[in-house]
Amino acid sequence: MKLVKYFALAAIVLSASTGAYAKDIKPWHDGFKCKDCHDQGLKSFPSDQSCLQCHDVDDLADATKRGGDEEWQNPHNNLHYGKELPCIECHSEHQKPETYQPLCLDCHTFKYEKFKG
Amino acid sequence: MQNRRNFLKLGAGAALGGLTASFPAAAASSCGKEIKWDETHDVVIIGSGFAGLSAAHNAKKQDLGSVLVLEKMQVIGGNSAINGGWFAIPRNPIQLAQGINDDSPEELVKDQMISGRGMASRPHLMRIAEHALESFEQCVANGVTFREGFNMQVGGHNKARAVRTTYGTGGEITQNYYETCVKQGVDFRKQAYVEDFIMDGTTIVGVKVRFNYQFPNAKSGQVKFIKANKGVVIATGGFAQNMTLRNLFDPSIDPTYDCTNAKGATGEVTMTAMSHGALSVHMNMIQSGHWGSPDEGGFGWSNALLSITWHEGMVVSVLDGKRFMDERRDRKYCSERISANRYPDNSPAYPIAFFNYNDHPDDDRVTRAVRDKMAWIMNSVEEMAERFNIDPKALQENIDLHNKHVAERHDPLFGRKMDTARNLEAPFVVSRIWPKVHYCMGGLKTDTEGRVLASKDLGVMKNLYAIGEATGGTHGETRLSSCACLEGLAMGIVVSKTIKADA
């Protein structure tokens, strides 16, 4: 844990001193700065409110709507949590998309071809 | 920052370190008088599954004052939200409509005592069963819908008494209860991890909580102290996801078994209570669900699909094509026999389970499983034998033998009840099966009203309550299917009355 602290400190110092981003961010978020999302400090994950400044849950649920027997495979409106699933439960800004998967795939073999991370 | 779930992929050493740090030292906490409280509530409920939600709902109905629910994860519902939505209710309306008039709470408890193998608690089971119908009626009042005309006999039960939510998940219950609770003014805090209890002797006066906690980092978030005027209810579920505790309490559990549980089922609050002197029992009784599938993670679709197989189909070993168990027995019996199927190198020889496709072509238990490739439609015995590497002649012989037993309505091999068994002929719906760690029968010992008992003198720990899977001693060696939902919801009703009586 100490090592993690040192790295975090180094990242903060580096970020502050050079203006460079401490972490890679997704290409569609180019231009955003740390404080645009990190509403709970750099050591914490952002709250949902941060994502919802720009995104709307109902719009997302509509955009990812599925028909027929796949109705409840909608990642933004599902049978277990409805629309209450926090964004960062599935989406990560700084991780490479190939290193993680949506929460649903912990138990189901649904297909989420459009999931970009 | 790392993605939270990626954090779990760190080496076992780091994970172990994290978990070790999360178990508080047994040193006494500060006396309540010295604490500067950040907040005060009447009832503090830890956990937001069936038990916690029911306790919150019923605490409001009992006018117990302000109710706070603390949930360490980012989502409401725990294991309850992802469960299969099965609910055992003697004398439920569908059962009565089916002409089954001789069921009762006593009949349910009779079945549970058998499956508990001498280790269950009849008084606790009766207390729960007595509230089955009321729990069901509360669900309906809160907007939960159940499948029309659906009332099934599930493993180990002697009567058809299990209803099921419309879409087959517990999430339909948790979401409806959550919405009702919010309207009632229940205060929910997610990412709120209860790190320790504040005790005055064996009386609990409050809890030490990490807000903005990020599972599983035990040091994340900011500490606050919450005072509880009337009671703290532990509704934190079991610890099936905690490999350290699993290995400690039952080293015989195959470490390669997957787990059906949500990630947060790690048991820290139970350990906290024990560190303050709460009595725990049956911690080594950890149940595996025999209905797991190696072709999907966690809980998935398999449980629902196999509810058809156990009644109508058969299970055979891929090693010799033979049946090896009574498919309608309970989880312990079936898990043991399934997991005995091994190749010479001890790797799993996943048995196959199958029934007639033509009996259920449109059932969503079938269509979903086939669509998501954890079951397959096989058009002949030969195709099935080739797909799963079984001797086709042996497989055919054993299907023929089984069909003979179906015709005779008698199973001389394993004594299976054959009243629902079907003559099997292709095409089949086939899935592979393997047990998954599912439920902890052990936990905190309470009286029948939900009060936690102290290990020092077996007296009640004042203001401390526990309900649901966090408790122990109730089910004994095996919990019957469809009874966890009942227990959580029923004990939420019971404990709210207890707190009212004790306040």
Side-chain angles (χ1 to χ4, degrees), chain A residues 1 9 35-36 46 59 61-62 89-90 105:
Chain A
M1 284 306 174
L9 179 62
K35 67 177 186 296
D36 293 328
D59 289 349
D62 276 345
E89 195 64 55
C90 299
L105 302 188

Side-chain angles (χ1 to χ4, degrees), chain B residues 153-182:
Chain B
Q153 183 174 355
V154 291
H157 289 264
N158 199 33
K159 295 200 191 299
R161 58 168 71 99
V163 298
R164 195 159 183 234
T165 54
T166 300
Y167 293 100
T169 92
E172 293 157 79
I173 298 174
T174 55
Q175 288 180 68
N176 276 290
Y177 265 72
Y178 174 68
E179 287 169 19
T180 298
C181 286
V182 170

